[in-house]
Amino acid sequence: DYHSDLPRERVDPSGFTVRILSADPVGDGVHSVHAEYVFPDAVWTQTFLSRPLTREQFEDALAEAGLRVDRYLTEDRIWVRAVPMSQGRGRGLSS
């Protein structure tokens, strides 16, 4: 639901707040995502392009780049640690 159910926010374990404010379609399945990062002493905004992918599509894209999922770093599975396929057990997952 990264590109839907907006706006939303979460507090990072290190203490700052991440807000996803909008995700507007710009064509060919791509969205322009506007995010805001709120720290005690500053606010940083970022706009970036993002394409929704299924887990399988994401893993296939990593494999095409010679990478595999090592583990997911957040409960929402938005952040992932990818490693070269030559490390460890190939394309398998650990989460």
Side-chain angles (χ1 to χ4, degrees), residues 12-91:
D12 187 84
S14 64
F16 67 93
T17 300
V18 179
R19 294 185 181 127
I20 304 300
L21 302 174
S22 63
D24 301 314
V26 294
D28 194 29
V30 175
H31 291 76
S32 177
V33 178
H34 184 71
E36 182 177 77
Y37 306 86
V38 182
F39 298 88
D41 61 346
V43 175
W44 176 54
T45 61
Q46 178 185 31
T47 301
F48 56 92
L49 298 178
S50 178
R51 179 186 310 270
L53 300 173
T54 65
R55 184 174 176 173
E56 182 178 315
Q57 289 170 324
F58 175 67
E59 292 171 8
D60 288 346
L62 285 177
E64 287 177 22
L67 300 170
R68 66 171 179 83
V69 172
D70 178 55
R71 67 186 174 99
Y72 288 91
L73 302 174
T74 56
E75 283 186 36
D76 58 13
R77 295 182 163 233
I78 289 177
W79 291 99
V80 62
R81 180 174 186 255
V83 296
M85 289 185 85
S86 60
Q87 284 186 8
R89 57 191 188 289
R91 193 163 173 230

